[in-house]
Amino acid sequence: MAAALDARTRVAAVPVGPSAPRCVGLRVDLRRWTLRYTADGCGAVRGPAALLMRSEDLFNLSFPFERPTAAAVFVQAALRGWRLRVLNDGFPAAPAAPSSAHELWKARKAEEERRGRMMERFGIKLELLEDGGQRWYGCGKDTPRCFGTVRAGTPQYLTQGRWTPPCCLRALRETARHVVRALESAGVRYWLEGGSLLGAVRLRDIIPWDYDVDVGIYRDDAAKCRWLREARSGPVEDDEGFVWERAAEGDFFRVHYSRSNRLHVDLWPFFPRAGVMTKDTWLGHPQDVEFPERFLLPTVPVPFAGFTAMAPNNAREFLELKFGPGAIEEPEYPNPAVMRLRRGELPQ
């Protein structure tokens, strides 16, 4: 069996039992905190198998004894570009099955817990399975978000060479959809602002390194929305667990995913003055500028984060007014003075 290994093929899967294990492709995208399995390729196997490796390769892994063992080896091998080979001949005896339904449940539960700990150690928040299924390991409604305080407009994950965790993007999409529905139901005029509009135009989604969603509203319309009215007196939790509050930093509103998870949508109240949209709170962001009201007369629908939202009627001109020429083709990280986006990293 040792002959199955060579300079590129560092792992061999040996069948255990009457059924041969099935190969699946495996791609590890650490920047997006994701494992992706595909029906083609062979980076992992499904089914009972023993793994064959040279001892020096095993101990070269960062986590040689992480459990579940096979999954941990497959992930680390994929990161190193090692090939996996499935052998035809193996061991005829299948591993012993649990003796009862309860024992089977306990075994599966223990496996899930080990897998969750492994994903946390490897920094994986999402598995995309070859059949279209998903396994999530990151934050949710009842847990804090995956990253701490944002400093100088730069979340910590960017300095680690990563983008926004997919669970956080999921929470932002859900919050944005919820907020837009509430505004539309109340008759509040709104539009996507700043980087959120840039994401809508470029990707029809949130920019993959963004950590909030920005929405502009007409200040005079804010009182039409029950939750914005009540938020002026203090934080209020709506019927679906989203928390509306007046921001501590100034005269604008913030809608959090939940009390535990503070991923949020910022709502910026603007008002027209001599044909120019302005506001009372300016936080010093370079793109935080006044703009002609004609961009909102009318607003237009655009796809964004899995739903339709309203946007300024000339998005390119609006974005170039805010961010400068070429903003759509050459987006930047939130604070280019801290970190700049290399051209080859641009998402498509």
Side-chain angles (χ1 to χ4, degrees):
M1 291 186 180
L5 304 176
D6 56 33
R8 289 293 306 280
T9 305
R10 305 292 187 94
V11 185
V14 183
V16 176
S19 301
R22 175 173 56 88
C23 268
V24 293
L26 172 59
R27 181 184 170 216
V28 184
D29 188 345
L30 290 180
R31 170 163 284 166
R32 297 178 187 267
W33 312 73
T34 300
L35 298 184
R36 183 183 298 273
Y37 299 92
T38 60
D40 56 335
C42 195
V45 297
R46 307 290 193 208
L51 299 187
L52 179 66
M53 298 179 65
R54 296 186 183 91
S55 58
E56 58 265 31
D57 288 336
L58 175 64
F59 290 109
N60 190 44
L61 299 178
S62 300
F63 305 100
F65 300 117
E66 186 67 34
R67 299 178 69 189
T69 305
V73 168
F74 295 148
V75 171
Q76 294 177 88
L79 286 169
R80 288 161 172 76
W82 293 354
R83 289 178 180 170
L84 168 66
R85 180 180 176 185
V86 177
L87 304 185
N88 294 323
D89 297 325
F91 303 102
S99 58
S100 67
H102 180 67
E103 290 299 320
L104 178 60
W105 175 85
K106 286 174 59 179
R108 288 176 174 171
K109 185 70 173 176
E111 181 78 0
E112 289 175 4
E113 291 174 353
R114 286 193 292 265
R115 194 175 191 90
R117 289 193 295 268
M118 180 194 76
M119 294 302 174
E120 182 177 3
R121 186 184 292 269
F122 289 172
I124 300 297
K125 306 291 186 182
L126 173 62
E127 285 185 284
L128 299 174
L129 307 181
E130 67 273 17
D131 62 2
Q134 299 177 346
R135 295 193 191 111
W136 291 88
Y137 301 97
C139 64
K141 200 87 168 175
D142 299 324
T143 65
R145 68 185 187 186
C146 295
F147 57 94
T149 302
V150 176
R151 303 186 185 280
T154 305
Q156 185 180 19
Y157 53 78
L158 277 183
T159 66
Q160 298 168 342
R162 294 187 159 197
W163 288 344
T164 310
C167 47
C168 297
L169 289 173
R170 178 179 62 169
L172 286 173
R173 292 184 188 107
E174 291 180 16
T175 309
R177 180 194 294 267
H178 179 77
V179 168
V180 162
R181 284 178 175 171
L183 297 178
E184 290 178 347
S185 296
V188 175
R189 292 168 291 175
Y190 76 92
W191 61 95
L192 293 176
E193 264 288 343
S196 299
L197 177 62
L198 179 59
V201 172
R202 185 176 174 85
L203 303 169
R204 300 187 171 195
D205 201 354
I206 298 169
I207 292 176
W209 54 79
D210 217 346
Y211 51 85
D212 62 9
V213 171
D214 289 309
V215 174
I217 63 172
Y218 272 83
R219 186 179 67 179
D220 290 348
D221 287 356
K224 296 179 180 179
C225 176
R226 168 192 169 185
W227 306 112
L228 292 179
R229 288 198 307 271
E230 294 185 13
R232 288 197 174 276
S233 300
V236 56
E237 184 174 346
D238 68 23
D239 299 334
E240 296 184 42
F242 296 87
V243 178
W244 302 64
E245 67 178 17
R246 188 172 182 176
E249 299 93 327
D251 189 20
F252 65 100
F253 298 94
R254 188 162 278 163
V255 185
H256 298 278
Y257 187 44
S258 69
R259 290 192 180 276
S260 299
N261 192 323
R262 310 300 277 180
L263 288 159
H264 58 265
V265 172
D266 284 334
L267 296 171
W268 300 94
F270 283 81
F271 58 92
R273 185 169 58 196
V276 174
M277 298 300 291
T278 188
K279 56 190 175 81
D280 291 328
T281 295
W282 304 92
L283 299 184
H285 301 145
Q287 69 272 18
D288 205 11
V289 297
E290 298 177 332
F291 60 90
E293 188 181 15
R294 62 179 171 82
F295 284 112
L296 308 178
L297 302 173
T299 53
V300 297
V302 296
F304 177 67
F307 62 98
T308 299
M310 304 308 291
N313 57 55
N314 188 331
R316 175 176 291 277
E317 185 181 351
F318 185 88
L319 287 168
E320 293 194 345
L321 171 67
K322 297 244 175 182
F323 293 98
I328 296 175
E329 289 76 18
E330 298 183 9
E332 279 287 356
Y333 284 147
N335 188 348
V338 175
M339 282 197 68
R340 297 193 68 88
L341 180 68
R342 294 191 295 269
R343 191 167 186 80
E345 298 175 322
L346 291 176
Q348 300 301 320

